[in-house]
């Protein structure tokens, strides 16, 4: 594929779980959030746990990297997820079990030209 | 410049033309510095059927116009009205002589209790959109002095484009919009501060009003 043709977007959730909550929060994310996200066109590419052990007195950081095919797919994901009360309720519950959370969108350098060519 | 914007939804769209004529006449008689009264274009979302945007030299003139306008926008012929009164000074003009373009306005409501520092960051980042998205030819982000309608509208984000394709294409598709600014609006992002109910309205523009 030529430079500028790829437009793959990465959506990254980074959740710092409350001490001792890491494993349970990971399991709930995969069981309760991930199926709906897949239905909205997101593809779960990677799940990471840091440090690579379950802490019971400190926080684990959970990272989930999703891919989205292009900007049209991003808006589809955004409109459906952003208007779903169950999704909003999920994040409210997850935030109550987390010390902090980030969601950000990124791309591999090879995708930037295509994403910015609008 | 003291401004007033109303997004008017009619119970019967057949009443649009006579209402537009009456509002135009009222704006002229109240010495509006600039005015734009036009039907909204398809794709507006909670944007009304008729967009009314008028600017005046002083707050008293604007408020007098608003008071005279209210009876026209009341009664069974009107389904709903969203709008704001605000004071704006142009944030930026890439194309002050823009003609035959598109005017777009977004009414948004930031959560009560949001701290001033966060609001300032939202405003500063939003004002940078034209830097990354040149299709935005002229623009202005203002805080509302007064709001009417479905929400306590706090901000008015106005832009002008050479054509509707600038709004539907570069504005919506550029990463600075969806990967940077949208986190203030996205209920899935922890930074969200803007209520999900928005008024997104746009109409044809003869000459720049920003």
């Amino acid at each position: 594929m030529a430079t500028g043709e790829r437009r793959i977007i990465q959506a990254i959730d980074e959740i710092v779980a409350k001490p001792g909550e890491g494993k349970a929060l990971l399991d709930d994310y995969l069981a309760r959030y991930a199926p709906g996200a897949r239905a909205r066109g997101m593809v779960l590419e990677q799940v990471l746990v840091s440090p690579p052990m379950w802490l019971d007195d400190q926080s684990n950081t959970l990272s989930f990297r999703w891919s989205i095919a292009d900007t049209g797919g991003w808006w589809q994901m955004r409109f459906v997820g952003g208007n779903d009360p169950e999704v909003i309720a999920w994040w409210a519950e997850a935030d109550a079990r987390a010390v902090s959370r980030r969601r950000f969108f990124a791309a591999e350098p090879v995708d930037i030209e295509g994403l910015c060519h609008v | 410049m003291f401004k007033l914007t109303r997004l008017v939804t009619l119970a019967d769209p057949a009443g649009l033309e006579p209402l537009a004529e009456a509002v135009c006449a009222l704006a002229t008689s109240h010495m509006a510095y600039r005015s734009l009264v036009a039907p909204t274009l398809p794709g507006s979302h909670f944007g009304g059927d008729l967009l009314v945007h008028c600017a005046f030299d002083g707050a008293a003139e604007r408020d007098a116009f608003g008071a005279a306008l209210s009876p026209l926008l009341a009664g069974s012929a009107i389904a709903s009205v969203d709008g704001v009164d605000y004071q704006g000074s142009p944030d930026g003009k890439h194309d002050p002589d823009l003609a035959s373009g598109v005017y777009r306005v977004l009414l948004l409501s930031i959560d009560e209790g949001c701290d001033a520092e966060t609001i300032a960051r939202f405003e500063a980042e939003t004002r940078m959109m034209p830097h990354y998205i040149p299709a935005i030819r002229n623009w202005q982000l203002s805080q509302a002095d007064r709001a009417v309608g479905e929400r306590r509208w706090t901000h008015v984000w106005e832009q002008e484009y050479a054509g509707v394709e600038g709004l539907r294409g570069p504005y919506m598709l550029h990463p600075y919009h969806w990967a940077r600014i949208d986190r203030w609006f996205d209920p899935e992002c922890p930074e969200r501060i803007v209520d999900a109910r928005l008024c997104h309205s746009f109409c044809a523009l003869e000459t720049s009003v920003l």
Side-chain angles (χ1 to χ4, degrees):
Chain A
M1 189 174 282
T3 302
E5 291 184 5
R6 271 185 36 144
R7 296 177 173 84
I8 299 173
I9 298 163
Q10 313 288 331
I12 295 142
D13 284 327
E14 187 179 271
I15 306 172
V16 180
K18 285 185 175 174
E21 276 280 341
K23 178 69 166 65
L25 192 50
L26 172 76
D27 291 344
D28 277 354
Y29 184 102
L30 294 175
R32 295 170 51 194
Y33 180 76
R38 288 192 179 94
R40 294 190 288 277
M42 301 170 75
V43 177
L44 185 56
E45 303 282 2
Q46 190 176 40
V47 180
L48 295 172
V49 178
S50 175
M53 59 175 290
W54 296 117
L55 298 170
D56 55 19
D57 68 327
Q58 300 168 55
S59 290
N60 282 108
T61 298
L62 313 174
S63 301
F64 305 86
R65 182 172 63 84
W66 300 82
S67 66
I68 302 163
D70 54 25
T71 308
W74 188 94
W75 280 109
Q76 163 77 11
M77 172 276 296
R78 167 70 174 83
F79 281 129
V80 177
N83 288 294
D84 185 337
E86 289 189 12
V87 171
I88 295 166
W90 154 257
W91 283 121
E93 181 187 326
D95 285 340
R97 299 164 66 186
V99 175
S100 64
R101 176 170 73 87
R102 289 205 305 155
R103 165 168 283 204
F104 58 96
F105 303 100
E108 293 184 38
V110 70
D111 293 300
I112 289 177
E113 184 178 334
L115 288 167
C116 291
H117 185 70
V118 294
Chain B
M1 198 181 300
F2 294 82
K3 305 172 72 172
L4 175 152
T5 294
R6 297 288 185 270
L7 308 175
V8 185
T9 303
L10 285 82
D12 179 1
L16 192 145
E17 195 169 327
L19 177 62
E21 288 175 0
V23 173
C24 283
L26 195 65
T28 300
S29 69
H30 279 75
M31 307 291 283
Y33 177 74
R34 289 189 177 119
S35 67
L36 171 63
V37 180
T40 59
L41 292 170
S44 294
H45 184 65
F46 294 123
D49 302 310
L50 184 71
L51 193 156
V52 177
H53 170 86
C54 296
F56 299 85
D57 289 328
E61 290 87 344
R62 179 196 64 192
D63 294 345
F65 173 74
L69 180 64
S70 288
L72 288 179
L73 305 185
S76 59
I78 305 297
S80 66
V81 180
D82 285 286
V84 284
D85 298 350
Y86 53 109
Q87 184 177 357
S89 57
D91 280 330
K93 284 180 178 285
H94 282 155
D95 194 354
D97 299 322
L98 179 71
S100 301
V102 165
Y103 169 86
R104 186 261 185 158
V105 62
L106 181 74
L107 303 184
L108 61 97
S109 176
I110 289 182
D111 294 346
E112 288 191 65
C114 184
D115 65 90
E117 184 180 342
T118 302
I119 293 172
R121 282 180 56 210
F122 161 77
E123 292 175 343
E125 291 180 9
T126 300
R127 287 193 171 101
M128 286 303 289
M129 290 186 84
H131 173 71
Y132 294 103
I133 309 172
I136 302 173
R137 305 307 298 152
N138 306 311
W139 65 95
Q140 186 174 110
L141 176 67
S142 310
Q143 293 192 7
D145 297 327
R146 177 174 173 267
V148 297
E150 282 295 311
R151 290 291 186 276
R152 176 192 54 88
W153 308 116
T154 61
H155 286 74
V156 196
W157 173 221
E158 302 168 277
Q159 310 107 57
E160 292 175 345
Y161 300 86
V164 72
E165 65 280 0
L167 172 61
R168 290 185 174 143
Y171 180 80
M172 292 302 293
L173 300 179
H174 196 281
Y176 190 75
H177 183 169
W178 51 263
R180 185 67 178 160
I181 296 298
D182 192 71
R183 75 191 195 286
W184 301 111
F185 295 78
D186 185 354
E188 293 203 65
C189 290
E191 295 99 325
R192 186 212 61 80
I193 57 171
V194 179
D195 188 275
R197 175 65 181 261
L198 304 167
C199 290
H200 157 63
S201 189
F202 55 103
C203 67
L205 176 74
E206 289 185 12
T207 57
S208 174
V209 294
L210 294 180

